[in-house]
């Protein structure tokens, strides 16, 4: 049940974050809590510091980021970054729910949900490469120095996640093939 709740909450939070790219919630003892949405929060810290030191550059960036096409693009990147994780958690929750039932075919009922979870994990691993590039391309023209926009891409971590996701998918495929063979054998006998 916990996976279902967390998956649903992450899905809602992803939709809210897509509606307002760059959401933030800052709390400190002197100013209290402030919340808002600023696309500049999507920039690396050193780039944001440079932008904050130059009011003209900040205005140019804010104007660029406020364009409808850029906002839609940033919303799509946010959905791409966080949507697969919500699907993954929800699918794992549904699989666990199926496995928790006192039924003879509980594993067979859970396998489609596990397959969906493994597909979401594959997409999630791929988005670790695609999303930072897409986000950088969207924000580059607003800053004027595209080389300072690029976010680092952790290729080793991405490849490891991708291999684990494919391993999970292959395991699920093998289990499904085994159950199909068992059914065919039972029909034959």
């Amino acid at each position: 049940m916990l996976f279902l709740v967390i998956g649903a909450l992450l899905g809602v939070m992803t939709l809210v974050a897509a509606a307002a790219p760059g959401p933030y919630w800052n709390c400190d003892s002197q100013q209290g809590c402030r919340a808002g949405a600023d696309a500049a929060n999507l920039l690396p810290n050193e780039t944001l510091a440079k932008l904050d030191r130059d009011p003209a550059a900040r205005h140019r960036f804010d104007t660029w980021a406020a364009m409808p096409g850029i906002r839609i693009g940033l919303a799509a990147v946010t959905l791409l970054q966080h949507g697969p994780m919500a699907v993954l958690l929800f699918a794992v929750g549904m699989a666990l729910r199926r496995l928790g039932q006192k039924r003879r075919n509980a594993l067979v009922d859970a396998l489609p949900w596990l397959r969906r979870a493994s597909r979401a994990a594959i997409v999630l691993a791929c988005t670790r490469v695609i999303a930072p590039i897409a986000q950088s391309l969207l924000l580059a023209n607003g800053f004027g120095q595209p080389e300072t926009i690029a976010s680092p891409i952790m290729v080793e971590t991405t490849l490891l996640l991708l291999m684990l996701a494919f391993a999970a998918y292959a395991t699920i495929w093998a289990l499904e093939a085994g159950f199909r063979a068992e059914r065919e054998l039972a029909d034959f006998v």
Side-chain angles (χ1 to χ4, degrees), residues 1 24 30 36 39 41 50 54 63 73 82 86 88 102 106 114 134 137 140 144 149 154 161 164-165 167 171 186:
M1 188 65 158
Y24 67 90
Q30 288 136 357
N41 291 329
K50 287 180 188 177
D54 185 0
T63 303
H82 304 292
L88 173 71
K102 303 282 189 211
L114 290 172
L137 290 173
I149 299 287
M154 307 298 257
L161 292 174
L164 289 171
T171 303

Side-chain angles (χ1 to χ4, degrees), residues 8 16 23 32 35 48 50 52 54 72 79 90 93 95 98 106 112 121 127 136 149 151 158 162 167 176 182:
V16 169
L48 182 58
K50 287 180 188 177
D52 286 338
D54 185 0
I72 291 170
L79 289 174
F90 186 80
R98 298 287 192 267
T127 61
S136 296
I149 299 287
S151 299
T158 301
L162 197 55
E176 286 179 331
E182 182 182 3

Side-chain angles (χ1 to χ4, degrees), residues 20-130:
Y24 67 90
W25 181 264
N26 292 333
C27 292
D28 60 21
S29 60
Q30 288 136 357
Q31 294 180 346
C33 292
R34 294 175 292 127
D38 186 1
N41 291 329
L42 300 172
L43 298 171
N45 290 337
E46 57 274 357
T47 306
L48 182 58
K50 287 180 188 177
L51 194 63
D52 286 338
R53 286 192 299 264
D54 185 0
R58 178 62 188 223
H59 178 71
R60 186 172 54 248
F61 179 81
D62 289 342
T63 303
W64 174 259
M67 293 174 59
I70 301 301
R71 299 293 285 183
I72 291 170
L74 291 174
V77 169
T78 301
L79 289 174
L80 183 67
Q81 280 178 317
H82 304 292
M85 180 57 97
V87 172
L88 173 71
L89 291 172
F90 186 80
V92 167
M94 289 300 291
L96 289 174
R97 188 166 183 218
R98 298 287 192 267
L99 288 171
Q101 294 175 346
K102 303 282 189 211
R103 296 179 53 196
R104 182 171 175 238
N105 296 329
L107 181 58
V108 174
D109 292 343
L111 284 176
W113 286 104
L114 290 172
R115 188 178 346 103
R116 290 178 189 112
S118 65
R119 287 178 181 163
I122 291 169
V123 171
L124 183 64
C126 292
T127 61
R128 293 178 59 94
V129 174
I130 297 168

